[in-house]
Amino acid sequence: MEKLRIIGVIVFEKSSQFFTLGQVVEVSGFDRITVRRALEKLIREKLILTISKKDAYQLKASAPIDLGKGRPSLAITYRVADKKGLVERVAPKMKEGTAQDRMWTAMRYKSHADRTFSVAEIVRLANVNKEHARWFFKSLRRVGIVQPSKAGGPGVEWMLIKDTGPRRPYVGGQVKKSDQ
Amino acid sequence: MKNIFVHTKNVKLFNDGINAINHKLKGVERMLLVTGEPGLGKTETSISYCAQNGAVMIRTLQLMTGPWLLRKIVEELGSAPEKRISAIFDQIIDLQKTKPRTIILDEVDRFAEKTEILETIRDIHDVCHCPIVFVGEEMADKKLMRYRRLYRRFVGVVKFEKLDKNDVRDFVTSVADINIDVEAIDRMASESAGKISDIVNWIHHVEAWAHRNQAKKVGIKDIWKS
């Protein structure tokens, strides 16, 4: 499932051009069978299309050329058929009504009302535990959505510097700089 | 001091009011008006309700026009507003039909002079049949009273008032980490005149004093020492 999403993202990045299996393999680092299966799944879902070998060959040469017997020398060419659908398919699926949703709503509305907010206020308003709130604040700070008033210590006020809308931003799957 | 959201008398009234408009009865209005002096926790209570129940809150602005408000509602309902006003209105109806949500309008007394906006909100209520909560200052009900067709749609008017002695007792006992004497709490209530921010300051001082002196219980004489 995770591999399909990674391949989907690579395919999306190539949505403005034709691409081959080999190109996706090279970028993703997965083996050819895994990539082929993922692409076949995306084809079944009508998110990408294949261009037949013959047609693909004819894109370059005007006259039809006989490919002959055996393995064709030209790779199958793919292209994205439904860009919007592909985005929805590969976008992380988020549950609704979670503690993070509550915190995000409280942050946005508190920010609209008072401009700044503290971790304690969000804990109180969203009814979540302190550790979870601190993790969420840290994750949002890493992606540049919130900013603290000072480096640390008591009485830190936070500010929402990028309001991405009522749907909470995806903050999972980030890697710390020190871990890289 | 514990960091918890205390359900005071005002919060309970607010929740009761919202419960009264969250029904599925046809032909029964679903609008609520919440009024009160500044600093009594109207906005805080609204934010808490929105966070816990997925309601939508819009902070109104003095310069806000009808189209601006409609666009803001669509954005808060989680969609990108269309270009034409008629399309935006249809969008709100569609969004509310697919996923009905309570709309809370904060500082609504700013619209007291803007008939067009108030009538538009009434139209949204009538067409979508969605719960709408107006939150405003203490004179908001008097300001809105002259719009009779709008005012009669309010199922109830919730007035936020300063905390009384019982409320302060509940608040202090649920928030304070140490045992504070009832007489001392009553004294805090009279000194703070029911304002939560002043009560919180009192609790901080008393707790700090108790921590310094390793006291387990704080009496009326001790609160002056702190």
Side-chain angles (χ1 to χ4, degrees), chain B residues 21 27-28 30 40 81 83 120 136 190-191 208:
Chain B
I21 58 167
V28 182
R30 305 181 76 180
L40 293 179
K83 283 184 182 172
T120 308
S190 58
E191 288 291 326

Side-chain angles (χ1 to χ4, degrees), chain A residues 16-167:
Chain A
S16 60
Q17 61 195 51
F18 296 103
F19 58 91
T20 61
L21 180 75
Q23 285 173 329
V24 181
V25 169
E26 198 181 324
V27 178
S28 65
F30 298 135
D31 56 85
R32 289 181 76 85
I33 296 168
T34 311
V35 176
R36 189 182 290 132
R37 279 179 189 159
L39 291 179
E40 278 167 4
K41 198 167 186 183
L42 294 175
I43 290 166
R44 280 201 298 276
E45 292 173 18
K46 292 179 182 172
L47 297 173
I48 61 169
L49 288 172
T50 51
I51 298 170
S52 71
K53 290 162 209 147
K54 202 178 166 187
D55 291 344
Y57 202 78
Q58 281 177 352
L59 285 171
K60 288 184 180 173
S62 56
I65 296 166
D66 184 23
L67 290 168
K69 283 182 181 179
R71 192 183 173 87
S73 57
L74 204 71
I76 302 169
T77 315
Y78 301 88
R79 76 173 175 86
V80 174
D82 183 2
K83 205 172 170 181
K84 207 175 165 185
L86 186 64
V87 170
E88 281 174 16
R89 181 70 175 81
V90 298
K93 294 199 171 36
M94 295 192 287
K95 284 181 187 172
E96 285 188 6
T98 59
Q100 284 183 39
D101 280 320
R102 295 203 300 272
M103 282 190 275
W104 178 243
T105 309
M107 269 182 204
R108 284 186 70 239
Y109 292 154
K110 193 73 189 162
S111 166
H112 292 174
D114 300 337
R115 207 167 147 263
T116 58
F117 48 85
S118 65
V119 178
E121 280 173 338
I122 301 304
V123 166
R124 195 171 58 238
L125 293 170
N127 195 16
V128 292
N129 65 44
K130 200 178 170 183
E131 288 73 31
H132 194 175
R134 287 177 73 180
W135 171 84
F136 191 58
F137 271 71
K138 212 180 202 177
S139 306
L140 290 177
R141 189 185 63 181
R142 232 178 259 154
V143 289
I145 290 173
V146 294
Q147 198 179 40
S149 59
K150 54 180 182 175
V156 178
E157 288 287 316
W158 294 76
M159 203 162 38
L160 195 68
I161 51 171
K162 201 195 285 175
D163 189 351
T164 56
R167 201 168 172 220

Side-chain angles (χ1 to χ4, degrees), chain B:
Chain B
M1 201 175 129
K2 293 176 199 123
N3 184 26
I4 50 168
F5 189 82
V6 181
H7 286 250
T8 57
K9 189 175 68 185
N10 289 332
V11 178
K12 281 173 191 163
L13 283 172
F14 181 89
N15 287 340
D16 290 346
I18 292 219
N19 287 339
I21 58 167
N22 271 304
H23 57 73
K24 288 179 181 175
L25 301 171
K26 281 189 177 179
V28 182
E29 312 300 348
R30 305 181 76 180
M31 272 185 165
L32 180 74
L33 177 62
V34 179
T35 63
E37 282 178 37
L40 293 179
K42 299 185 296 293
T43 306
E44 200 96 335
T45 310
S46 306
I47 293 173
S48 176
Y49 180 81
C50 289
Q52 317 255 357
N53 298 283
V56 169
M57 191 168 107
I58 289 141
R59 193 181 187 279
T60 59
L61 302 166
Q62 190 63 49
L63 288 173
M64 215 171 222
T65 57
W68 185 353
L69 177 72
L70 292 180
R71 279 197 196 97
K72 195 83 184 150
I73 293 173
V74 172
E75 280 169 11
E76 288 301 325
L77 289 171
S79 191
E82 298 279 345
K83 283 184 182 172
R84 287 165 55 225
I85 304 300
S86 58
I88 296 174
F89 193 84
D90 292 341
Q91 237 183 328
I92 295 172
I93 294 161
D94 290 342
L95 288 165
Q96 284 289 53
K97 271 180 188 168
T98 49
K99 193 182 174 187
R101 294 162 84 179
T102 307
I103 299 172
I104 300 176
L105 299 164
D106 194 17
E107 312 265 5
V108 83
D109 38 274
R110 284 180 176 159
F111 291 157
E113 305 299 322
K114 297 176 180 175
T115 316
E116 193 185 276
I117 295 178
L118 291 174
E119 292 298 319
T120 308
I121 298 167
R122 186 171 68 87
D123 288 339
I124 293 171
H125 166 264
D126 290 355
V127 177
C128 306
H129 204 63
C130 61
I132 298 180
V133 181
F134 283 49
V135 181
E137 61 168 35
E138 69 268 32
M139 299 296 280
D141 56 337
K142 288 184 177 61
K143 285 180 184 173
L144 295 173
M145 213 174 263
R146 59 196 161 114
Y147 302 99
R148 287 172 63 194
R149 280 185 292 180
L150 175 80
Y151 198 80
R152 75 168 190 83
R153 279 170 171 76
F154 290 125
V155 174
V157 179
V158 175
K159 285 188 180 172
F160 269 54
E161 285 164 359
K162 285 177 182 171
L163 301 187
D164 57 20
K165 270 186 181 177
N166 289 330
D167 261 342
V168 176
R169 279 180 195 171
D170 288 344
F171 182 80
V172 174
T173 44
S174 50
V175 161
D177 281 328
I178 51 158
N179 196 356
I180 303 173
D181 204 37
V182 180
E183 281 181 18
I185 296 172
D186 289 348
R187 192 58 187 258
M188 280 184 195
S190 58
E191 288 291 326
S192 61
K195 278 190 179 175
I196 290 184
S197 54
D198 289 350
I199 298 165
V200 169
N201 281 341
W202 270 103
I203 297 169
H204 274 301
H205 283 298
V206 167
E207 280 185 351
W209 179 86
H211 186 71
R212 278 197 305 273
N213 296 286
Q214 294 178 339
K216 286 180 182 173
K217 195 172 181 181
V218 177
I220 190 159
K221 287 177 184 171
D222 301 324
I223 64 166
W224 295 112
K225 291 175 193 167
S226 65

